[in-house]
Amino acid sequence: MDSTKLRHLEGLRGLAALVVLFAHLKYTFRPTLSEDVLAYLEDQLGYVLARVIHSPLNAVVNGELAVYVFWFMSAYVISLKPFRGGDTIALLRSVTKRYFRLMIPALASSLIAYFLLARGWMFHLEVAELMGPNGGWHRQFYGFDPDFWLAVRSGLWDAFFDFSFYRTYNPSLWTMKVELYGSFLCFALLGLTRGHRMRWIIYLALVIWTVLSAKFPLLSFLLGFFLSDYDNSRGATPAPPRSKAFDVSFILLFILAIAWGGRPNFYGVVYVLLCAALTVSVLRSDFLKRLLGSRPMVWLGRISFGLYLLHLPIIFSLSSYFYLEVGSYQRWGLYLTVFSTIPLSLIAAYFFTRWVDEPSIRGLNRLTRKYISKPEVSS
């Protein structure tokens, strides 16, 4: 594994991808789940205790918070190697391949969705009809005839520069614009301010700008970049020996962030703070490093991008078909639909990673090494 891809952050990324999957399963097949659970807890435990317990349970299906974690970690990881001493050529390679690194898997996922729609294998609208007024989330997607060139445009252009839920071939691509713009902002900061003593003033100005303009997704990206600078700059001091109390404090912070993770995103700022707390806890706690750096979690992190890109086409096609056949009649049928979708999505993500994502990364690395190299110095 690339040394810049910290095993524990890979595990956290995989966990976040699972949360997004759970969230979309809830929206598709049980949109009132959170409200139903809260009502049950209030009936059994009372108003206050019900909300204390409900928040961490609801965090398990809080896909928006999970996406903020993606952005924060992405900024941390893409800037890690430059802060550890990468040269200008390495930074130029990163800039050159960033769009293609995101675009190739995005385009592939759009074409897969196009194939499913063209074959008549999308059944989410029928599921939405069964849900009645509470099934409105489904209705905005794929309300058009199959169009190959629209699918191509969806992955090549719309996802990054002109996204619309009403014409996209993959609703999950709404995050790509923040990912791309945030990446280029980080690269620009690396090129212009890396190692400069006054760079933290520029960082502060950017934080103020994002807060005043309510660009909180971009703020999460920037905070991940700032933390990477603090942790990995060549002038950073080595971390002192850590006590058990230090470790426990970050475990408690991680638990507290999850416990608060099911609450609303107050004015957009809560999820920024929570994604920072979750990632910092994993970076600082030896116990969380071991837990999220375990082989199953690292494997989940490896396929997380594929899982993120493929899970909605799977839910809207095979899962929805299965739900219409068995899940809409009995509660056990709903459980079968949900628990069959999880392994199916993991398997599809694995092959997507093996056949699309990882080969594209290797190909881009070879091309950038070949065409963007250090000039030879004549003797």
Side-chain angles (χ1 to χ4, degrees):
M1 175 178 294
D2 188 333
S3 61
T4 63
K5 290 187 176 181
L6 305 180
R7 293 177 60 89
H8 39 285
L9 288 190
E10 286 289 282
L12 181 58
R13 191 193 309 276
L15 190 62
L18 270 186
V19 170
V20 174
L21 171 60
F22 296 156
H24 287 151
L25 283 170
K26 183 200 81 165
Y27 291 143
T28 305
F29 301 115
R30 189 71 180 273
T32 61
L33 176 65
S34 297
E35 294 80 2
D36 295 343
V37 170
L38 181 59
Y40 174 80
L41 291 173
E42 283 185 348
D43 183 61
Q44 298 296 317
L45 303 173
Y47 181 87
V48 176
L49 188 56
R51 276 161 174 73
V52 171
I53 296 175
H54 178 258
S55 183
L57 293 177
N58 199 40
V60 178
V61 291
N62 190 342
E64 186 180 0
L65 173 59
V67 168
Y68 273 76
V69 173
F70 284 148
W71 288 326
F72 189 98
M73 286 192 299
S74 182
Y76 188 95
V77 171
I78 66 171
S79 57
L80 191 155
K81 185 180 289 186
F83 279 130
R84 287 182 176 177
D87 56 26
T88 303
I89 295 299
L91 179 59
L92 182 58
R93 289 171 181 166
S94 297
V95 173
T96 302
K97 66 187 179 183
R98 189 58 179 168
Y99 163 73
F100 299 98
R101 164 71 187 97
L102 299 171
M103 180 274 292
I104 294 172
L107 176 60
S109 71
S110 294
L111 293 177
I112 290 171
Y114 163 77
F115 173 78
L116 293 171
L117 185 64
R119 298 290 297 178
W121 292 346
M122 291 286 193
F123 303 99
H124 63 290
L125 294 178
E126 289 89 334
V127 173
E129 290 300 322
L130 289 178
M131 299 293 174
N134 292 324
W137 183 74
H138 307 65
R139 303 178 196 277
Q140 61 184 312
F141 306 125
Y142 305 110
F144 45 76
D145 295 328
D147 184 332
F148 176 78
W149 294 113
L150 180 59
V152 171
R153 174 181 163 175
S154 182
L156 280 176
W157 180 265
D158 288 356
F160 305 98
F161 308 109
D162 192 22
F163 182 83
S164 169
F165 281 113
Y166 297 102
R167 67 167 182 265
T168 183
Y169 270 83
N170 189 348
S172 295
L173 297 180
W174 73 273
T175 62
M176 293 296 105
K177 183 175 181 179
V178 175
E179 184 74 30
L180 184 67
Y181 287 17
S183 298
F184 282 127
L185 179 56
C186 291
F187 293 144
L189 289 171
L190 284 165
L192 296 172
T193 70
R194 180 174 42 170
H196 198 284
R197 289 181 300 174
M198 304 296 289
R199 67 189 185 279
W200 294 99
I201 296 177
I202 297 175
Y203 293 174
L204 178 60
L206 285 170
V207 169
I208 294 173
W209 168 67
T210 53
V211 171
L212 292 179
S213 57
K215 298 182 184 297
F216 295 110
L218 189 59
L219 177 59
S220 67
F221 218 95
L222 285 172
L223 292 182
F225 176 82
F226 302 159
L227 180 64
S228 185
D229 186 350
Y230 178 80
D231 283 353
N232 301 295
S233 290
R234 282 175 288 184
T237 56
R242 294 171 179 175
S243 64
K244 288 186 177 180
F246 182 92
D247 200 54
V248 169
S249 65
F250 281 101
I251 294 172
L252 292 176
L253 178 62
F254 187 83
I255 294 172
L256 181 62
I258 293 176
W260 198 260
R263 305 298 298 163
N265 188 12
F266 184 72
Y267 288 108
V269 74
V270 171
Y271 292 169
V272 174
L273 299 176
L274 292 179
C275 76
L278 290 167
T279 310
V280 169
S281 299
V282 173
L283 287 166
R284 299 294 188 267
S285 166
D286 291 335
F287 171 78
L288 293 175
K289 285 182 179 179
R290 291 193 299 270
L291 179 65
L292 293 174
S294 61
R295 289 174 65 92
M297 295 305 299
V298 171
W299 179 84
L300 188 60
R302 175 191 170 194
I303 68 166
S304 59
F305 195 29
L307 180 61
Y308 178 77
L309 291 176
L310 290 187
H311 74 279
L312 277 181
I314 290 172
I315 289 174
F316 291 163
S317 58
L318 297 176
S319 301
S320 293
Y321 175 79
F322 191 66
Y323 178 80
L324 292 170
E325 292 297 314
V326 298
S328 59
Y329 303 106
Q330 299 290 340
R331 179 170 294 182
W332 61 265
L334 173 61
Y335 297 152
L336 280 176
T337 301
V338 170
F339 289 110
S340 63
T341 300
I342 295 171
L344 178 62
S345 299
L346 294 176
I347 293 169
Y350 170 75
F351 286 108
F352 187 88
T353 301
R354 285 286 305 273
W355 295 343
V356 177
D357 196 24
E358 291 178 342
S360 71
I361 294 173
R362 291 193 296 268
L364 289 170
N365 287 339
R366 285 195 297 267
L367 286 172
T368 53
R369 283 195 299 266
K370 180 178 179 180
Y371 292 105
I372 305 176
S373 58
K374 296 181 180 178
E376 296 183 2
V377 179
S378 58
S379 57

